[in-house]
Amino acid sequence: MVYTVSGVRFPHLPSIKNQSLPSFNDDRSRTNAVSFSLRKDTRSSSGTPPPSIHSHGVNVWIVFCKIFARKPSSSSIATTASENLGSHQSDSSSAEPQETVSQVTQVHDDVDAQKAETEGQKQISALSTSGDKSNQANTASMSESLDQKVVQRRIPPPGDGKKIYDIDPMLKSYDGHLDYRYGQYIKLREEIDKNEGGLEAFSRGYEIFGFTRSATGITYREWAPGAKAASLIGDFNNWNSKADVMTRNEYGVWEIFLPNNADGSPAIPHGSRVKIRMDTPSGIKDSIPAWIKYSVQAPGEIPYDGVYYDPAEEDKYVFKHPRPRKPTSLRIYESHVGMSSTEPMINTYANFRDDVLPRIKKLGYNAVQIMAIQEHSYYASFGYHVTNFFAPSSRFGTPDDLKSLIDKAHELGLVVLMDIVHSHASKNTLDGLNMFDGTDGQYFHSGSRGYHWMWDSRLFNYGSWEVLRYLLSNARWWLEEYKFDGFRFDGVTSMMYTHHGLQVEFTGNYNEYFGYSTDVDAVVYLMLVNDMIHGLYPEAIVVGEDVSGMPAFCIPVQDGGVGFDYRLHMAVADKWIELLKKRDEEWQVGDIVFTLTNRRWGEKCVVYAESHDQALVGDKTIAFWLMDKDMYDFMAVDKQATPRVDRGIALHKMIRLITMGLGGEGYLNFMGNEFGHPEWIDFPRTDQHLPDGRVIPGNNGSYDKCRRRFDLGDAEYLRYHGLQEFDRAMQHLEEKYGFMTSEHQYISRKDEGDRVIVFEKGNLVFVFNFHWTNSYSDYRIGCSVPGKYKIVVDSDDSLFGGFNRLDDSAEFFTSDGRYDDRPCSLMVYSPCRTAVVYAAVDGNEDSSLVPIGLVPDDV
């Protein structure tokens, strides 16, 4: 019997989950050893393989360099390139060490440039480190050739870090802390420059650690200083721990070289399961390599297995489309591949590519943020308990399937952001990093400091040299290998404070940010990773999930900031939930405006009315708060709606539009919420039996509520469709007018009696009437631009499930004279529970300007 999981074919195996762990030298043979192949996607054709480069019979793609795994007590770890050559590299051992070429990276202008960079830089790096003087001319020639195709970039040197005091003079009172923080950053940059050849080289750890392939064989390296012995085991050697014993250097790095077979084939076939067996202080353990690029869960097994992933050149996906330019205003569609099907199943990268990406494009979003990419053995963790940091989740397909997805997004003009988790890690010991070398403190802080009691996960030690290498390389890996366009860093508040933001209420007092509770090591890591990302990829977008409001969070590192492009404006979603628990009469429009606009000047925010957090089981989406059980029976357009449904549909549209209008420079929506997705998200769960005898009931492993019912939003006979069309109108309105990033913003009215909010963004005037019954005829509103106005979005339009109380073809002319502190004004009709957007127009626009919601489907 053969099982198929994400394109991986497994022969039927007996379960080993209850078998005892073998001794380190156990010669146990696995007669049923798995040998599987990964499916070839005929739609993912690749180009010709890169040329092979040899020097004195030795393939120079082998990284001839010292493995700089740092000793805690070592202050200088740099060595010459020839010091640590293994016996398999003896042909080059007599070569003179040479200087390494300048560490640069490339900004890709097109796909050819991307290929040139990938292959050219590898060749240059190999030649420059091989120690052969005869290759220096070849290296220079390659560099000149490469320069003709791509624009060279480098990670800039640090600035003085003082500009933050000009931006925010209040920070001067905390210059002791901030100068110390920046000093630590400078010191670390200098140490990296001295010992590793620079941040650019330091962030390419994946070219040294894990499995690296050359023309002559495969090298495997692993940092495990606590281990006393190590062997590489897997299908390829019948899991014999005596067959491939690894050697250790003085820095705790274990290494083995596996030469090619006699026929030239690699010693480890593509698709083979692999693990490292170590004799550790905690006993003998088999672990997935820390730098593994792919891992799978065999049917009937609990822990995952690492997989040696190295398909033939003709089976590798080759990117065809350039990265889109960074959008001026960011409109993010937050998504999860596994739950993106309308059916109760785990969806695939391929289906998401073909079915969901065109939907996102049609809705008008310009960015897709994908959750749960890094491998996580527990599906219900939503991807946040990462076990294998360099491996894309095999539940959804192969690494090449993910590349195809990203390439398709680029073809559609969508930037692709990855929800990356560097704030914590799964506590799994069998398939994760926890207790990897048998010690508590290899990658994480020891003891209680290394454990997050609320998340039940391990916390990284950002002061460790090898942890920095691992995480910096991890961020770069996803940018380089998969062409992601940036990241949303999860859990940044937890990283920046030793209390992790738990049971702490941030009030905005600066003492909360710059004191002993700040984890300076973590903040310095964030500065490093942002510097690395923006230095190598100036067009990359980095969003940080921070609820604390840390000052200078979105100020460039060289100016003294943490370096993010955007902060998630998380307080807004909490405010909406707070209001939805109250009666309409208790809402204060001033409170709404204050929450939306209460953010740091000069630091950009991504705002959202609700994200995946509000959709999880135990919480409610905005639509469910508003309409509750009436959503089950009264959403058909040919059926009389209840007052609850009418109210819910009206407020759902208003909440989203005012959030987008006032809340930030970017906007985020979790998939399905654009049409008011009913119910909640509930991952498949079985009953959980606790040690104290209690039982937490599961849902019988059901996927019924772990999917997205896009069919509801597409059904024109349901009221969900109107909500979806309104969301589409919002995105196209922003695309046309760019109001989120407009420098002109003025809030002219916050009338608590009328429950009306009026504000200007660019040449648009937004009018929100939150009153539950009162509509206002001839309602005067102030504006700054004189002339003629027309309606460009009307939430009461019947297309959006409204009552069509406004004439969208009407023209509105301003009157002179100040009103609401504006130089002119106009008279409008403002129905209850509506949001209307007016645009200043001139004579040339009259014939073409129509409500944005009426754009054709193919726009």
Side-chain angles (χ1 to χ4, degrees):
M1 183 181 296
V2 176
Y3 297 94
T4 301
V5 179
S6 300
V8 180
R9 302 181 66 250
F10 292 94
H12 176 61
L13 288 179
S15 175
I16 62 172
K17 63 185 177 183
N18 295 322
Q19 297 179 8
S20 59
L21 190 67
S23 65
F24 185 78
N25 291 318
D26 188 359
D27 284 335
R28 178 181 61 177
S29 298
R30 295 195 180 186
T31 56
N32 290 325
V34 173
S35 176
F36 61 87
S37 60
L38 300 176
R39 71 173 181 268
K40 177 180 178 182
D41 187 347
T42 57
R43 295 168 293 182
S44 305
S45 58
S46 66
T48 58
S52 179
I53 307 172
H54 292 77
S55 174
H56 304 291
V58 178
N59 186 290
V60 296
W61 285 40
I62 301 173
V63 182
F64 290 160
C65 62
K66 182 74 173 180
I67 306 303
F68 300 143
R70 190 177 193 185
K71 287 182 178 179
S73 59
S74 174
S75 60
S76 178
I77 56 177
T79 59
T80 60
S82 61
E83 280 186 73
N84 198 40
L85 297 182
S87 59
H88 61 279
Q89 299 167 341
S90 58
D91 288 346
S92 299
S93 60
S94 61
E96 292 290 326
Q98 301 294 328
E99 290 185 2
T100 304
V101 294
S102 299
Q103 301 294 351
V104 296
T105 191
Q106 318 301 328
V107 174
H108 311 310
D109 290 332
D110 51 36
V111 175
D112 289 337
Q114 296 175 13
K115 290 182 62 179
E117 177 212 5
T118 302
E119 306 305 339
Q121 286 298 101
K122 285 181 179 178
Q123 297 170 14
I124 293 170
S125 176
L127 287 171
S128 64
T129 57
S130 67
D132 186 356
K133 290 182 178 180
S134 65
N135 284 322
Q136 298 305 307
N138 292 338
T139 303
S141 176
M142 282 188 188
S143 294
E144 292 174 3
S145 176
L146 189 61
D147 289 348
Q148 296 174 3
K149 301 198 73 175
V150 295
V151 180
Q152 290 194 344
R153 299 288 185 185
R154 64 186 180 88
I155 299 174
D160 62 11
K162 301 294 185 182
K163 191 174 180 180
I164 53 173
Y165 302 127
D166 297 328
I167 296 172
D168 184 357
M170 289 179 61
L171 293 175
K172 191 65 179 175
S173 300
Y174 302 87
D175 58 357
H177 178 101
L178 291 165
D179 289 347
Y180 171 77
R181 183 179 83 181
Y182 201 76
Q184 291 298 106
Y185 163 76
I186 293 291
K187 180 180 178 181
L188 193 52
R189 280 289 301 264
E190 290 173 347
E191 288 187 2
I192 292 172
D193 290 344
K194 177 182 178 180
N195 299 318
E196 300 282 358
L199 187 56
E200 193 278 333
F202 190 47
S203 60
R204 286 188 283 116
Y206 48 81
E207 295 180 356
I208 299 173
F209 289 94
F211 294 94
T212 56
R213 173 84 182 277
S214 71
T216 57
I218 297 170
T219 300
Y220 170 57
R221 299 186 182 96
E222 196 75 72
W223 176 62
K228 295 176 284 187
S231 289
L232 180 62
I233 57 175
D235 295 330
F236 73 99
N237 64 8
N238 207 27
W239 302 88
N240 182 359
S241 62
K242 293 180 180 179
D244 296 293
V245 178
M246 304 177 72
T247 59
R248 169 183 166 144
N249 71 8
E250 59 183 311
Y251 303 109
V253 174
W254 297 86
E255 177 177 346
I256 189 170
F257 176 76
L258 303 175
N260 288 339
N261 298 321
D263 62 358
S265 61
I268 308 177
H270 165 59
S272 296
R273 295 184 301 174
V274 290
K275 286 191 175 182
I276 179 173
R277 178 169 295 170
M278 292 175 284
D279 184 0
T280 77
S282 302
I284 306 298
K285 70 187 298 279
D286 295 351
S287 295
I288 295 179
W291 298 72
I292 198 71
K293 306 304 190 298
Y294 194 50
S295 63
V296 297
Q297 185 182 38
E301 299 291 339
I302 294 178
Y304 275 57
D305 287 311
V307 172
Y308 178 72
Y309 192 86
D310 186 22
E313 290 297 326
E314 61 270 18
D315 293 332
K316 293 179 180 178
Y317 187 83
V318 176
F319 287 88
K320 306 175 185 65
H321 304 284
R323 286 182 163 101
R325 293 296 182 186
K326 180 194 297 187
T328 302
S329 61
L330 197 58
R331 303 188 301 277
I332 302 171
Y333 195 83
E334 185 184 33
S335 60
H336 184 287
V337 171
M339 62 165 44
S340 63
S341 172
T342 58
E343 301 299 322
M345 57 177 277
I346 296 178
N347 210 7
T348 66
Y349 295 125
N351 288 343
F352 188 94
R353 174 196 64 204
D354 297 338
D355 301 333
V356 182
L357 287 179
R359 171 181 297 277
I360 296 170
K361 177 65 175 179
K362 179 180 176 181
L363 285 170
Y365 290 87
N366 56 21
V368 54
Q369 177 179 301
I370 309 180
M371 308 170 61
I373 290 296
Q374 294 164 293
E375 189 59 88
H376 48 291
S377 61
Y378 183 42
Y379 188 45
S381 74
F382 228 135
Y384 290 122
H385 281 203
V386 176
T387 44
N388 310 123
F389 282 78
F390 287 82
S393 181
S394 59
R395 287 184 182 87
F396 317 136
T398 69
D400 289 285
D401 291 337
L402 175 58
K403 292 177 182 180
S404 176
L405 183 162
I406 294 171
D407 200 27
K408 179 62 177 180
H410 289 167
E411 180 187 4
L412 294 173
L414 299 170
V415 298
V416 187
L417 306 181
M418 174 179 165
D419 196 342
I420 195 168
V421 184
H422 283 183
S423 50
H424 63 132
S426 168
K427 70 174 186 179
N428 288 15
T429 57
L430 293 179
D431 49 18
L433 290 180
N434 189 22
M435 303 290 291
F436 183 81
D437 68 349
T439 65
D440 186 45
Q442 182 188 359
Y443 284 95
F444 311 106
H445 288 292
S446 297
S448 61
R449 188 180 177 189
Y451 177 72
H452 197 294
W453 61 266
M454 180 174 284
W455 293 345
D456 192 26
S457 56
R458 296 303 310 275
L459 299 172
F460 286 105
N461 177 4
Y462 303 102
S464 165
W465 190 265
E466 289 307 310
V467 171
L468 290 176
R469 186 200 305 275
Y470 186 81
L471 294 178
L472 288 167
S473 299
N474 183 245
R476 183 168 181 181
W477 168 255
W478 295 107
L479 295 171
E480 295 273 357
E481 183 70 14
Y482 290 92
K483 311 303 179 188
F484 278 98
D485 302 296
F487 301 108
R488 178 256 196 196
F489 272 80
D490 175 69
V492 175
T493 302
S494 175
M495 297 172 67
M496 294 193 298
Y497 306 97
T498 56
H499 53 61
H500 311 301
L502 301 176
Q503 300 176 330
V504 174
E505 182 176 350
F506 291 98
T507 65
N509 187 314
Y510 278 26
N511 290 315
E512 298 166 349
Y513 308 117
F514 310 118
Y516 292 114
S517 63
T518 302
D519 189 335
V520 174
D521 287 340
V523 176
V524 169
Y525 163 68
L526 292 170
M527 296 165 70
L528 276 175
V529 74
N530 277 312
D531 228 8
M532 183 269 292
I533 292 169
H534 291 118
L536 300 178
Y537 289 90
E539 289 284 296
I541 300 165
V542 190
V543 183
E545 185 197 32
D546 171 44
V547 71
S548 74
M550 166 72 79
F553 188 78
C554 296
I555 300 297
V557 174
Q558 63 264 29
D559 297 333
V562 184
F564 286 95
D565 296 306
Y566 295 87
R567 170 194 275 113
L568 281 179
H569 197 353
M570 302 173 69
V572 173
D574 294 337
K575 174 56 67 174
W576 288 124
I577 298 302
E578 175 191 324
L579 291 176
L580 290 171
K581 295 177 181 179
K582 300 178 179 179
R583 297 181 302 117
D584 290 10
E585 294 85 346
E586 298 177 89
W587 291 25
Q588 299 292 315
V589 295
D591 185 31
I592 294 172
V593 170
F594 174 79
T595 301
L596 290 168
T597 58
N598 183 26
R599 56 187 188 270
R600 297 190 60 79
W601 179 82
E603 299 189 38
K604 294 187 291 186
C605 285
V606 171
V607 70
Y608 55 92
E610 55 185 340
S611 69
H612 68 273
D613 289 326
Q614 287 71 41
L616 284 171
V617 63
D619 205 340
K620 291 183 181 181
T621 62
I622 289 177
F624 217 56
W625 275 109
L626 288 167
M627 293 177 279
D628 203 62
K629 63 181 180 180
D630 284 16
M631 297 183 74
Y632 296 118
D633 299 314
F634 299 98
M635 295 298 283
V637 296
D638 62 351
K639 189 174 184 178
Q640 180 66 42
T642 64
R644 178 182 287 175
V645 167
D646 285 340
R647 171 183 179 268
I649 288 177
L651 289 179
H652 196 276
K653 292 178 287 186
M654 297 179 71
I655 287 170
R656 281 182 287 157
L657 183 58
I658 197 169
T659 298
M660 188 185 214
L662 282 180
E665 293 73 25
Y667 179 79
L668 178 144
N669 168 70
F670 179 67
M671 62 177 188
N673 290 348
E674 69 272 11
F675 60 84
H677 199 288
E679 298 185 319
W680 52 87
I681 296 168
D682 192 9
F683 284 87
R685 295 176 290 111
T686 56
D687 293 348
Q688 183 179 359
H689 297 268
L690 302 180
D692 59 6
R694 291 181 299 148
V695 177
I696 300 177
N699 60 9
N700 295 318
S702 172
Y703 288 86
D704 183 62
K705 290 182 172 57
C706 194
R707 54 176 171 156
R708 295 282 89 180
R709 295 290 307 275
F710 294 118
D711 54 312
L712 299 178
D714 293 341
E716 297 183 9
Y717 58 85
L718 295 177
R719 290 184 167 87
Y720 296 105
H721 183 68
L723 294 175
Q724 179 170 280
E725 286 300 296
F726 183 75
D727 197 88
R728 184 167 168 239
M730 285 170 44
Q731 309 310 318
H732 286 283
L733 179 74
E734 214 294 316
E735 176 68 22
K736 181 177 180 67
Y737 292 99
F739 59 85
M740 283 198 301
T741 55
S742 173
E743 294 184 0
H744 174 65
Q745 173 177 303
Y746 191 90
I747 302 166
S748 59
R749 175 163 293 210
K750 296 175 290 185
D751 194 315
E752 299 293 353
D754 293 347
R755 295 295 201 276
V756 170
I757 299 171
V758 180
F759 61 87
E760 304 166 18
K761 291 292 290 283
N763 284 340
L764 300 179
V765 179
F766 293 73
V767 181
F768 291 82
N769 181 358
F770 281 95
H771 204 283
W772 47 98
T773 56
N774 289 355
S775 299
Y776 306 108
S777 300
D778 296 330
Y779 196 77
R780 186 173 296 277
I781 59 173
C783 58
S784 60
V785 178
K788 182 171 64 175
Y789 284 76
K790 294 191 70 173
I791 295 173
V792 289
V793 162
D794 167 19
S795 71
D796 200 46
D797 194 304
S798 58
L799 176 66
F800 309 137
F803 295 99
N804 223 26
R805 288 171 286 179
L806 290 169
D807 180 3
D808 291 339
S809 66
E811 298 176 345
F812 304 84
F813 295 89
T814 61
S815 301
D816 295 333
R818 299 193 70 81
Y819 189 82
D820 282 347
D821 204 26
R822 310 310 290 143
C824 50
S825 62
L826 62 153
M827 306 279 279
V828 300
Y829 174 47
S830 180
C832 62
R833 287 183 180 146
T834 59
V836 183
V837 184
Y838 301 86
V841 298
D842 56 37
N844 296 327
E845 292 182 278
D846 284 2
S847 60
S848 60
L849 185 62
V850 296
I852 300 298
L854 302 181
V855 294
D857 283 349
D858 58 352
V859 172

